[in-house]
Amino acid sequence: MDTPHDRESLEEIRDALKNNNPALAIAKIQEYLDKQNKTPLNIAITGECGSGKSTFVNSFRGVDNKAEGAAPTGCVETTSVVTPYAHPNYPNVTLWDLPGVGTTKFPADQYLNHVGFETFDFFIIISATRFTENDVKLAREIKRMGKKFYFVRSKIDSDLYNERRSQREFNETETKELIRDNCIQGLQEQGIQSPQVFLVSSFELHLHDFSLLHETLERELPEHKRNALLFAMPNISQQIINKKKEAFHDKIKYVATLSAAAAAVPVPGLSIAVDVALLAGVVTQYIFGFGLDIPSLKRLAGNTGVPFNDLMSVITSPLAATKITPALIIKVLTQGASTAALMVAEEGSRFIPIIGIPAAMALSFTTTYRALNGFLNKLADDAQKVFEKALRRNTTD
C-alpha cells in the first residue's frame, strides 16, 4: 500500500543519493525500515477476577505463564493496577492487563478514566462464564465513548474437557454453540444488541475462534494499524503466515526502487553497499515477523513442549535462527549464480555511456526484487514447517 509516509521517505532517500551522500542514504533507509514497525497499537484486556486475562496476554505474546516478563496468573485477582506488556518482537504493540471492573472501587463510568481510556485502540472483555453486569456496564461506556470492544469467552478447552467426560454422546461443535448462545442470550438480556462472542482457549489459540477474532479486529482497525496487529500475531494458522507473507511482499517494490535509485549514482561499490544494507534490514523484519529468531523459537518450544532442536531441524533457510549481517547476506546472494551475475552486470553497466545508468537501475531493481522474493518464500516455508511441527506435538499428546 503506497502511503504518504512511503512516498516522503523514498524522496528523502533519493535526495541523499542524488547529493552523493551514501551514508545519509543508508541511514534514511534504516529509518524507513524501522518506521514500518513503530505504528503503536494498544490493546486493553479486562474482565472479572479469574477470567483468564493474564493468560490471554501471555499467550498472545507467545510467552509462557512461568517465563520472566509474563503477566502474573492465578486463581485470584493478580492485577491491581494497569500493567503494560509489550510484544517481545514488536514493542510498538502493547497488551494492557487491566484490573477487573468488579475488583476496583470505581464504577464502570469512572473505571475507564481511571485506567486511561484514551490510551487504548480497543478493548477485549474476557469472561470464563457468562458475562456479568459489570462487563455489560463497561461495554456500554466503551461504546458511549466511541471505541470498540470485543467479548471473549475464555477457557473453552476446560469446558470441552469437562463436557466430554460427563456426556455419553459428546459433540464438540454443538457444545460450543450452546456455550456461545448462552453468552449471547445473557448479553441480550442485559441490553447488548447483536453481541458477537468469540470462544477462545489461551492454551490452544490455533483452535476455536481466535482466528475469527483476528479477522474481525483486522477488518475494524484503521488501515495503518492492521499490519501492526498482523505481525504481532502468533503463527496460529497457515492463513496468518500467508497474510504476513503477503504484507511483506507488498513492500518489496519500494525496497527495489530504493536499490534502483542507488544504482543511478556513479560511485563504485555504492549500489552494492546500499543493497546489502537494504536486504539485511528487510530480512531481519521477515525473521521477526515469522517468529524464526532464536528467542521466539525457544519461547515456542517452551509453550508447546516441542524440543528447540526439533523445531530447528525443519528449518532450511540459512537466514533463519541467526543474526542477519551484511556479510551473511552477501554470502547467501553469491551462492546463487544468477543473482551474482546480475550484481556483477549492474556494477559494470553503470559506467557505460548514455545507457549505463538506466541499465544499472533496471538490473539493481531486478536483483533486489528477486533476492527478497526468494528470501521471503523460503522463510515463509520455514515458518509453516515450524508451525506444523509444533502443531503435531500439540494435537498428538
Side-chain angles (χ1 to χ4, degrees):
M1 181 67 66
D2 189 2
T3 66
H5 164 67
D6 286 324
R7 291 191 292 271
E8 180 182 347
S9 296
L10 293 177
E11 285 301 320
E12 289 178 348
I13 295 165
R14 288 194 188 101
D15 288 344
L17 290 168
K18 288 177 183 176
N19 293 326
N20 197 17
N21 192 339
L24 177 60
I26 290 174
K28 288 291 183 181
I29 287 166
Q30 192 58 53
E31 181 182 332
Y32 166 73
L33 294 174
D34 289 344
K35 281 183 179 178
Q36 306 302 303
N37 297 331
K38 289 187 177 177
T39 300
L41 182 66
N42 293 287
I43 306 170
I45 312 295
T46 187
E48 295 274 319
C49 171
S51 62
K53 303 189 305 293
S54 297
T55 299
F56 182 90
V57 167
N58 293 334
S59 187
F60 188 101
R61 296 163 63 235
V63 175
D64 186 85
N65 283 340
K66 300 183 289 295
E68 183 179 354
T73 60
C75 57
V76 297
E77 179 65 28
T78 56
T79 306
S80 57
V81 295
V82 179
T83 308
Y85 294 94
H87 190 279
N89 285 350
Y90 292 93
N92 55 306
V93 178
T94 305
L95 282 82
W96 297 76
D97 195 359
L98 309 187
V101 180
T103 64
T104 71
K105 62 183 178 180
F106 300 96
D109 57 343
Q110 297 178 30
Y111 173 88
L112 290 176
N113 289 325
H114 170 64
V115 299
F117 171 81
E118 290 300 328
T119 301
F120 312 118
D121 290 288
F122 59 86
F123 290 74
I124 292 177
I125 303 172
I126 297 182
S127 176
T129 54
R130 265 198 167 198
F131 292 91
T132 67
E133 182 181 356
N134 281 328
D135 294 327
V136 171
K137 286 180 178 178
L138 179 59
R140 286 175 178 160
E141 283 300 308
I142 295 170
K143 183 177 181 180
R144 186 180 68 81
M145 298 176 79
K147 291 199 176 180
K148 296 280 189 179
F149 60 87
Y150 304 90
F151 291 111
V152 167
R153 171 61 161 78
S154 64
K155 303 184 180 180
I156 249 355
D157 53 327
S158 297
D159 292 303
L160 294 176
Y161 175 77
N162 292 333
E163 289 296 311
R164 187 178 286 109
R165 293 190 64 187
S166 63
Q167 291 184 16
R168 182 176 300 175
E169 296 183 2
F170 171 77
N171 183 295
E172 179 172 315
T173 301
E174 291 180 359
T175 301
K176 289 199 291 187
E177 286 304 314
L178 285 172
I179 294 171
R180 183 182 288 105
D181 290 346
N182 181 261
C183 290
I184 290 173
Q185 181 184 351
L187 290 168
Q188 288 174 332
E189 289 172 354
Q190 297 185 71
I192 300 293
Q193 295 182 351
S194 304
Q196 187 173 12
V197 175
F198 300 92
L199 309 184
V200 170
S201 163
S202 292
F203 297 108
E204 301 170 332
L205 290 183
H206 61 287
L207 301 177
H208 317 306
D209 291 344
F210 189 74
S211 291
L212 179 61
L213 174 63
H214 169 252
E215 290 172 12
T216 304
L217 295 174
E218 185 179 45
R219 184 172 60 249
E220 297 185 357
L221 272 174
E223 185 176 316
H224 67 290
K225 300 269 188 179
R226 291 174 190 166
N227 277 355
L229 174 70
L230 174 62
F231 293 139
M233 283 284 291
N235 292 337
I236 58 166
S237 68
Q238 175 68 61
Q239 183 182 24
I240 291 292
I241 294 171
N242 286 342
K243 283 186 175 183
K244 290 182 179 182
K245 181 180 177 181
E246 182 179 346
F248 282 134
H249 189 271
D250 286 344
K251 294 291 184 183
I252 290 180
K253 59 181 178 289
Y254 299 116
V255 182
T257 300
L258 294 177
S259 173
V265 181
V267 176
L270 171 62
S271 181
I272 291 177
V274 170
D275 288 351
V276 171
L278 278 169
L279 293 172
V282 175
V283 170
T284 298
Q285 291 185 1
Y286 295 169
I287 297 295
F288 284 121
F290 288 128
L292 293 174
D293 56 298
I294 288 177
S296 291
L297 290 167
K298 287 184 175 179
R299 286 193 296 269
L300 180 62
N303 289 341
T304 61
V306 179
F308 173 76
N309 287 338
D310 287 1
L311 297 178
M312 288 289 296
S313 70
V314 300
I315 292 174
T316 59
S317 171
L319 297 171
T322 189
K323 181 176 176 59
I324 303 301
T325 63
L328 177 61
I329 292 293
I330 291 174
K331 179 182 177 181
V332 175
L333 283 174
T334 53
Q335 287 173 349
S338 61
T339 303
L342 284 170
M343 292 171 68
V344 171
E346 176 205 330
E347 191 64 19
S349 66
R350 188 178 300 107
F351 303 99
I352 300 174
I354 302 175
I355 65 168
I357 293 300
M361 292 177 69
L363 286 167
S364 187
F365 183 98
T366 301
T367 303
T368 301
Y369 193 97
R370 284 185 181 178
L372 283 178
N373 196 52
F375 294 159
L376 179 58
N377 287 337
K378 289 180 180 178
L379 290 169
D381 287 345
D382 279 347
Q384 176 62 19
K385 286 183 284 189
V386 168
F387 165 70
E388 290 174 351
K389 187 74 172 179
L391 181 63
R392 276 199 296 272
R393 175 63 178 265
N394 272 350
T395 56
T396 56
D397 281 359

